[in-house]
Amino acid sequence: MAAQDVLGQTARLASSSALLQVLFRAVTFGLNAFTLRYLSRELLGVVNVRLTLLYSTVVFLAREAFRRACLSGSAKRNWTKTINLLWLTVPLGVFWSLILGLVWLYLLEVPDPSVVPHYQAGVVAFGLSAIIELLGEPCWVLAQAHLFVRLKVIAESLSVVSKCILTVTLVILYPHWGLYIFSLAQLLYVSVLVMCYVIHFVMFLGSPEATKKSFPVARVKALLPSFVEDETFVNWKEAHLTWSFFKQSFLKQILTEGERYVMTFLNVLNFGDQGVYDIVNNLGSLVARFIFLPIEESFYVFFAKVLERGKTVKDQKQDDVAMAANVLELLLKLVLLIGLTITVFGYAYSQLALDIYGGSMLSSGTGPDLLRCYSLYVLFLAVNGVTECFTSALMCKEEVDRYNFVMLALSFIFLCISYFLTHWYGSVGFILANCFNMGIRIAHSTHYIHHYFRESTHRPLTGLLPSPALLLVYILSAGVTAFSEVWFCCDKGWMARLIHISTGALCLAATLVTMFCTETKLIHFVRSQFLSRYLKKGT
């Protein structure tokens, strides 16, 4: 597949995923606002921090390394061996579910049954849901490698909608069920997700469409593990790369979910405070999840397909190098401007957003300060996602191993800083520690990118430099909106709030107009790669 075709399909995958994440987060946003009025903060803290951490840890440790290794390189490979390798995620998931399930049941503090009933059933259900999701891993990797955009959209949409409908129904009818509600909803979510992928491939494999596309897997039976006579069970090159990524993913998980591990194992916050922190964290991470994450996942596939892992820039096809450098530069500019916009306007509108969303329970206390700090953290998340996406796609096995030592040291430093900052600044300390963590990771990735392109004429890191005019507008907008918050928000009535909102809207409009005038190359890239499909439909 030509690099230009890969870019087009990758951009469509990223834009579809981003729109899908908007839908998911909008539904989850409304669901959280709804459950806040029916359930206790303590129950939400246990579900959203303790049990979700168990599920995400099992899934991440069991499959992340396999995904990275099996999506590297071309889609033309011995898929029988790749599928065999991917099925190893299931026993690995069973292992982690058992080990971590026992830790969650017997080594961690158990919530008060009168406040959070059925904790043991919740641990079992969330561990089981991780194993069920891993059963669909071969189908997911096949779909991602061949850029099946529609399948991903349909599968995740149906699973999220099913989960939300069941949750709302049970919360209204049986609020006393406690963790049973979220356990059943989680099991339904993963079951629908896996069944969507399985049903699609049962119908697709062997069809005229699959034959026309020369799809590498011909039969449904080929999706199961199988032995090939006189050949190894797996591709050992992929297996070794998986082991390298596994060591890295273990550390990355600690860095990604570090604050939840500190809350869970060190008891620095009670379950109620954990619930408030998680609500604010989810609200602050909306943009990171529905825009940055789809871009990172999709363009990892692009860079891995266009450039060959482990080769220097001189040994690559120069046309592909030029395209990859241009795309990296524009992606960095795109996420930087989104991050700056969130940081600037998030500071002055955090308290208002929390007051509208959850009332005084969220807008009083540390809630507004948490969301303000998270607005800054979004900027770090934006840049780190793209820079790490590129480096992960290009680093050879030895470089990945060296990076693992860096991550190991960083993990230890991060956990120590999280612990001390939390004691000094409360839950805000978690976000400050995360900013430090992301800053170090960005420094490492940008150093790698600079070193990779130093023997070429391309300088993709210039994407991190916004135009002076746009930077000036951001500074003025920050000052004006901060002044507006002091005078009009948030206890002076709805008319004052509307004035504050109007002030922000005018500043945002001025920022967007300046962006359109000064960042023409970026605007063309977004219109041609991300929005072209939707613009054509509208004409």
Side-chain angles (χ1 to χ4, degrees):
M1 189 181 292
Q4 189 66 41
D5 294 334
V6 175
L7 173 59
Q9 292 191 40
T10 303
R12 286 194 294 274
L13 178 61
S15 57
S16 297
S17 298
L19 289 173
L20 181 64
Q21 290 294 330
V22 172
L23 171 64
F24 291 171
R25 296 307 151 190
V27 173
T28 306
F29 185 83
L31 181 64
N32 283 337
F34 173 80
T35 54
L36 276 173
R37 288 152 176 79
Y38 283 85
L39 304 174
S40 67
R41 296 189 307 172
E42 288 76 13
L43 180 62
L44 293 176
V46 171
V47 172
N48 294 335
V49 177
R50 176 75 66 88
L51 296 182
T52 301
L53 181 64
L54 171 63
Y55 161 77
S56 65
T57 302
V58 172
V59 168
F60 193 93
L61 293 179
R63 78 180 181 195
E64 179 68 14
F66 291 86
R67 284 187 171 184
R68 291 286 187 182
C70 295
L71 287 174
S72 298
S74 171
K76 295 181 179 179
R77 63 179 77 200
N78 187 331
W79 276 101
T80 299
K81 294 184 178 182
T82 300
I83 290 172
N84 288 342
L85 183 64
L86 287 168
W87 274 107
L88 296 178
T89 59
V90 177
L92 194 58
V94 172
F95 169 79
W96 285 116
S97 291
L98 290 174
I99 296 299
L100 295 178
L102 292 173
V103 172
W104 258 243
L105 285 172
Y106 298 109
L107 296 183
L108 299 181
E109 177 189 359
V110 176
D112 184 353
S114 63
V115 179
V116 184
H118 315 302
Y119 172 72
Q120 289 77 10
V123 171
V124 173
F126 275 73
L128 179 61
S129 71
I131 298 172
I132 294 173
E133 185 168 343
L134 293 172
L135 293 173
E137 196 61 18
C139 295
W140 187 93
V141 171
L142 267 174
Q144 191 79 354
H146 294 87
L147 302 174
F148 285 9
V149 178
R150 184 177 299 177
L151 172 59
K152 182 176 182 179
V153 171
I154 293 174
E156 297 194 9
S157 297
L158 287 176
S159 56
V160 168
V161 170
S162 301
K163 176 182 179 180
C164 290
I165 291 175
L166 181 61
T167 302
V168 170
T169 302
L170 294 179
V171 165
I172 294 174
L173 298 178
Y174 307 104
H176 58 281
W177 279 16
L179 291 181
Y180 281 159
I181 296 173
F182 297 94
S183 300
L184 292 172
Q186 178 69 15
L187 290 171
L188 178 65
Y189 165 78
V190 295
S191 299
V192 172
L193 183 65
V194 171
M195 287 305 298
C196 285
Y197 278 96
V198 171
I199 291 172
H200 173 83
F201 279 103
V202 167
M203 298 174 62
F204 176 74
L205 296 180
S207 68
E209 182 185 358
T211 305
K212 182 180 177 181
K213 292 182 177 180
S214 300
F215 198 73
V217 179
R219 299 174 303 164
V220 176
K221 188 177 179 181
L223 294 175
L224 299 175
S226 58
F227 290 91
V228 179
E229 191 174 350
D230 298 328
E231 290 191 29
T232 57
F233 182 68
V234 298
N235 183 328
W236 284 110
K237 182 179 179 181
E238 286 182 349
H240 290 146
L241 187 59
T242 300
W243 173 241
S244 295
F245 277 125
F246 176 77
K247 292 181 286 185
Q248 180 182 343
S249 67
F250 189 86
L251 301 172
K252 186 177 180 180
Q253 176 68 2
I254 295 176
L255 294 174
T256 304
E257 301 279 11
E259 71 273 11
R260 283 177 166 80
Y261 288 114
V262 173
M263 280 189 279
T264 298
F265 288 95
L266 300 181
N267 297 323
V268 293
L269 298 176
N270 60 45
F271 290 118
D273 290 340
Q274 289 181 27
V276 173
Y277 174 85
D278 184 75
I279 292 168
V280 174
N281 180 65
N282 285 333
L283 186 61
S285 64
L286 283 173
V287 174
R289 291 180 178 180
F290 71 66
I291 294 182
F292 301 147
L293 185 59
I295 289 176
E296 179 183 352
E297 289 181 344
S298 301
F299 280 91
Y300 173 84
V301 177
F302 167 75
F303 291 126
K305 285 179 178 289
V306 172
L307 299 177
E308 195 166 340
R309 182 185 296 277
K311 284 190 175 182
T312 65
V313 71
K314 285 186 174 181
D315 297 329
Q316 309 274 5
K317 293 180 181 178
Q318 292 308 300
D319 289 344
D320 291 348
V321 170
M323 175 176 288
N326 183 57
V327 169
L328 178 59
E329 177 186 345
L330 293 172
L331 282 179
L332 287 172
K333 180 66 65 70
L334 174 64
V335 297
L336 176 72
L337 296 185
I338 294 173
L340 280 172
T341 303
I342 297 300
T343 301
V344 167
F345 292 93
Y347 180 86
Y349 291 88
S350 293
Q351 185 175 358
L352 178 60
L354 290 177
D355 192 62
I356 295 173
Y357 182 59
S360 59
M361 185 186 82
L362 295 181
S363 62
S364 60
T366 60
D369 289 335
L370 273 173
L371 194 54
R372 291 187 183 106
C373 289
Y374 210 101
S375 299
L376 174 62
Y377 179 49
V378 165
L379 180 59
F380 287 88
L381 281 174
V383 177
N384 180 71
V386 173
T387 54
E388 270 197 356
C389 155
F390 182 85
T391 55
S392 296
L394 270 294
M395 285 192 296
C396 65
K397 179 182 180 300
E398 290 74 21
E399 289 171 326
V400 172
D401 288 337
R402 285 199 299 271
Y403 185 45
N404 288 338
F405 287 104
V406 176
M407 296 281 275
L408 178 63
L410 188 57
S411 299
F412 178 75
I413 295 172
F414 168 70
L415 292 176
C416 292
I417 290 178
S418 295
Y419 180 76
F420 288 111
L421 286 179
T422 304
H423 274 284
W424 294 336
Y425 301 108
S427 50
V428 173
F430 283 125
I431 301 176
L432 296 177
N434 273 316
C435 290
F436 171 82
N437 160 36
M438 286 296 168
I440 299 298
R441 288 165 66 174
I442 290 170
H444 176 273
S445 298
T446 52
H447 174 74
Y448 178 90
I449 294 170
H450 174 75
H451 184 270
Y452 183 83
F453 286 102
R454 67 176 180 176
E455 296 182 349
S456 73
T457 58
H458 307 291
R459 297 294 179 265
L461 291 178
T462 56
L464 293 174
L465 300 175
S467 65
L470 183 57
L471 197 58
L472 177 61
V473 172
Y474 273 125
I475 294 172
L476 291 175
S477 296
V480 170
T481 54
F483 179 82
S484 173
E485 183 185 30
V486 172
W487 280 93
F488 301 111
C489 191
C490 287
D491 56 353
K492 298 177 175 63
W494 277 103
M495 184 57 66
R497 292 186 178 194
L498 289 176
I499 295 174
H500 181 47
I501 293 172
S502 300
T503 302
L506 290 174
C507 290
L508 179 60
T511 303
L512 293 177
V513 169
T514 307
M515 196 181 298
F516 271 84
C517 294
T518 59
E519 302 293 349
T520 54
K521 186 179 177 182
L522 174 63
I523 300 302
H524 174 73
F525 174 72
V526 173
R527 287 174 61 89
S528 62
Q529 299 299 335
F530 290 92
L531 302 179
S532 58
R533 194 165 45 132
Y534 309 104
L535 293 175
K536 288 177 183 176
K537 287 181 180 180
T539 57

